[in-house]
Amino acid sequence: MKRMALPRLREAAVTPLLLPLIELGPMQCRYPYDSKGGTLFCGLTKYSSRSYCPDHDALCYRQEDKGQTRRFYKDFAKASGLALSSSMAA
């Protein structure tokens, strides 16, 4: 039986750490990346109440009020000492 190719996952404009699941800490993004050696994960700092970093969260979830969402991301980045990608900083 021939295996079907999995669809490519969308990618955000970030540079992921590409860590295996076992190496992820509790505050690291779990957005998956396909790799020849298996699935790796983003690993950037995530929201405490979500599974993803701000860029992957925005990629995965529909945001009703983009202005309010951007302000939230900027506040999160400032509080965490992180830099936002150009798509989120605008």
Side-chain angles (χ1 to χ4, degrees), residues 9-79:
L9 295 172
R10 296 180 295 167
E11 295 178 7
V14 296
T15 303
L17 299 177
L18 299 177
L19 300 172
L21 184 61
I22 197 163
E23 290 182 20
L24 288 177
M27 292 302 295
Q28 289 183 289
C29 178
R30 274 134 172 83
Y31 189 82
Y33 281 84
D34 195 27
S35 168
K36 288 183 181 16
T39 302
L40 298 175
F41 298 86
C42 171
L44 297 176
T45 302
K46 72 173 191 77
Y47 298 122
S48 61
S49 62
R50 303 293 276 246
S51 295
Y52 305 126
C53 65
D55 288 288
H56 285 127
D57 193 81
L59 186 68
C60 295
Y61 297 101
R62 182 175 167 196
Q63 306 299 331
E64 296 300 324
D65 177 358
K66 291 191 184 256
Q68 180 182 4
T69 302
R70 273 214 173 84
R71 283 190 299 279
F72 177 76
Y73 290 147
K74 287 179 180 181
D75 292 345
F76 172 79
K78 185 176 180 180

Side-chain angles (χ1 to χ4, degrees), residues 14 44 54-55 73 77-78 80-86 88-89:
V14 296
L44 297 176
D55 288 288
Y73 290 147
K78 185 176 180 180
S80 301
L82 302 171
L84 288 174
S85 69
S86 58
M88 292 308 302

